[in-house]
Amino acid sequence: MGITVGVPVYQIRALIRTHGVKLLSSNYSLYGDMSRRVMDTLEQFSPEVEVYSIDEAFLNLSGLSRINRTEYGRRILMTVKQWTGLPVSVGIAETKTLAKLANRFAKRAAESAGVLDLIDAPNREPVLAATAVRDIWGLGEHMARLLDSHGICTALQLRDADERWIGTHLGVVGFRIVRELRGLACFSVERVPPPKQSIAVSRMFGRPLESLEELREAVAAYTARAGEKLRRERLLAGGLWVFLTTTRPTDDLRDSQSVFLDLPVPTEDTGDLIRCALHGVERAFTSGCRYKKVGVVLTELTPADRRQLDLFDPTDREKSHRLMQTLDRLNQRMGAGTIRYAAVGLAPSWHAKFAYRSPAYTTHWQDLVQARV
């Protein structure tokens, strides 16, 4: 119908009315819980499962050599559907890169019925030939443009490219991707996720913001949320990014401004993080601009049990740690935002709109489905 990813609703009102399009606002609690249920289900089918993202996982099937792989994939698909109600697709291959390609075609090809096995498959080369290099997992936009400029436009052409040329122009990452396309595994299934490199929180506003005061409230709220995530992972942050996105760029101003700040001491304390973030938003703010989005990214993360102390740090870090534990326990027990910093504001009007949010069927008592007979 011509509806593209990320298009604002107000631009497609006519299409919505004409075709009866169903609108659903984001419901992260529901998505997170259903994702956990799917991943728990997948663990029934392999001892090694890597949760790659909220809706993707890799399973190691190398120890199941005697199975019919396509039938096994259908069992996975049907079990997930039966236990969670969610449709999935399954791609099977010797390497992660090829499995991603198989999964991509399993979604789109009706004859595959949601499962595609590329191991010893006669249709492997047509699949590679039909895949643009920019659609290959792990290849960034910069690499894709470089390959296109040298006449390497498909996954098949990349697979057959000269390794020395790939190593020279695309480095180790590109070399490994080519090897993966040739069926030689370079990326193993990671049962233990690698340490987080950053923690980010960002949202679109319910309406564009122009005042520094409202932006300060939004940044404080998102920083507090990032602090909760930081403590849940038992990490400390040594640096912080603040970025602001405008509704439209001007000749003398980009559509996004960002500021990086070093924290004096790696910390998990929300008060420290908010103070730093507020300095950042004041530096990034430009009067007269209308902002549609703000975000906070915590970086330089280190484990909390390896805290580097500072002789001149005026804060009692043990007392700060106990305070944060108390804050998190109260908000977990009594509800998010029960105890919050004043910088967040009492009644913010800039929150993103969730007018069409579906119920949190599996995590909120009041949203449980009811059957009346």
Side-chain angles (χ1 to χ4, degrees):
M1 290 184 287
I3 299 175
T4 57
V5 173
V7 64
V9 168
Y10 74 85
Q11 293 181 5
I12 55 169
R13 291 289 184 192
L15 283 174
I16 291 172
R17 287 193 297 270
T18 302
H19 299 284
V21 175
K22 180 70 173 177
L23 297 180
L24 293 173
S25 303
S26 299
N27 188 329
Y28 301 112
S29 297
L30 177 63
Y31 305 157
D33 183 62
M34 294 308 298
S35 174
R36 284 189 292 273
R37 293 174 185 232
V38 171
M39 301 309 169
D40 287 346
T41 304
L42 294 179
E43 289 180 352
Q44 312 300 312
F45 293 93
S46 171
E48 293 186 35
V49 177
E50 176 187 341
V51 180
Y52 181 67
S53 68
I54 192 171
D55 65 344
E56 291 180 282
F58 290 104
L59 280 67
N60 187 350
L61 304 182
S62 59
L64 306 174
S65 57
R66 297 182 180 180
I67 62 170
N68 181 309
R69 291 183 298 268
T70 299
E71 288 302 317
Y72 201 69
R74 291 204 174 97
R75 278 182 54 196
I76 293 173
L77 183 149
M78 290 187 293
T79 303
V80 172
K81 179 70 173 177
Q82 181 181 359
W83 291 11
T84 70
L86 295 177
V88 296
S89 53
V90 179
I92 303 171
E94 300 95 327
T95 70
K96 281 185 170 182
T97 304
L98 286 172
K100 285 279 289 185
L101 293 184
N103 181 274
R104 186 170 181 270
F105 275 82
K107 292 178 184 177
R108 292 164 171 76
E111 62 273 16
S112 70
V115 179
L116 180 60
D117 178 12
L118 283 186
I119 298 177
D120 301 326
N123 58 348
R124 172 179 289 195
E125 293 211 344
V127 166
L128 294 176
T131 303
V133 289
R134 60 179 23 85
D135 294 326
I136 298 173
W137 176 64
L139 271 183
E141 187 63 29
H142 174 72
M143 286 187 183
R145 285 199 300 268
L146 177 64
L147 290 168
D148 277 336
S149 69
H150 285 81
I152 300 175
C153 304
T154 68
L156 182 62
Q157 291 172 325
L158 180 60
R159 185 200 69 178
D160 297 335
D162 181 72
E163 285 191 353
R164 288 176 297 177
W165 186 92
I166 292 297
T168 300
H169 291 82
L170 300 185
V172 174
V173 173
F175 181 79
R176 288 175 176 171
I177 290 173
V178 170
R179 302 273 288 180
E180 287 252 323
L181 290 174
R182 294 175 180 176
L184 303 172
C186 296
F187 307 116
S188 60
V189 173
E190 298 178 350
R191 299 179 63 182
V192 179
K196 283 184 178 291
Q197 302 299 311
S198 64
I199 291 176
V201 177
S202 65
R203 296 284 188 277
M204 298 285 288
F205 298 131
R207 57 177 175 80
L209 302 186
E210 298 181 62
S211 76
L212 177 59
E213 187 57 39
E214 287 183 309
L215 285 170
R216 283 170 56 90
E217 287 186 357
V219 165
Y222 298 161
T223 304
R225 178 68 182 125
E228 293 173 0
K229 292 184 175 183
L230 185 73
R231 293 188 292 274
R232 191 180 307 138
E233 299 286 341
R234 298 181 180 178
L235 296 170
L236 306 174
L240 182 149
W241 282 97
V242 174
F243 67 86
L244 307 176
T245 304
T246 60
T247 53
R248 60 173 61 89
T250 61
D251 293 337
D252 56 349
L253 186 69
R254 300 191 307 273
D255 64 342
S256 182
Q257 302 90 49
S258 62
V259 174
F260 177 77
L261 302 102
D262 275 312
L263 289 154
V265 178
T267 184
E268 63 183 352
D269 190 301
T270 296
D272 293 342
L273 298 173
I274 288 178
R275 278 190 292 273
C276 186
L278 293 182
H279 288 307
V281 74
E282 289 167 3
R283 286 170 52 184
F285 174 74
T286 301
S287 180
C289 286
R290 303 176 78 233
Y291 294 96
K292 63 181 181 180
K293 183 179 182 180
V294 69
V296 176
V297 183
L298 305 182
T299 62
E300 299 178 13
L301 306 183
T302 56
D305 58 0
R306 300 179 193 170
R307 184 191 300 274
Q308 179 65 51
L309 300 178
D310 189 320
L311 181 63
F312 303 102
D313 182 10
T315 304
D316 182 340
R317 290 296 160 185
E318 184 57 37
K319 183 178 179 181
S320 164
H321 177 68
R322 292 197 303 270
L323 175 62
M324 292 300 103
Q325 284 185 317
T326 302
L327 177 71
D328 291 340
R329 278 199 300 266
L330 284 170
N331 285 333
Q332 289 167 6
R333 186 183 307 166
M334 309 299 291
T338 300
I339 304 293
R340 60 183 184 271
Y341 282 78
V344 174
L346 295 177
S349 60
W350 40 263
H351 276 307
K353 295 178 180 177
F354 295 99
Y356 303 99
R357 179 149 54 187
S358 54
Y361 298 105
T362 62
T363 56
H364 295 171
W365 286 108
Q366 63 270 28
D367 288 345
L368 290 178
V369 175
Q370 298 183 18
R372 301 185 186 279
V373 293

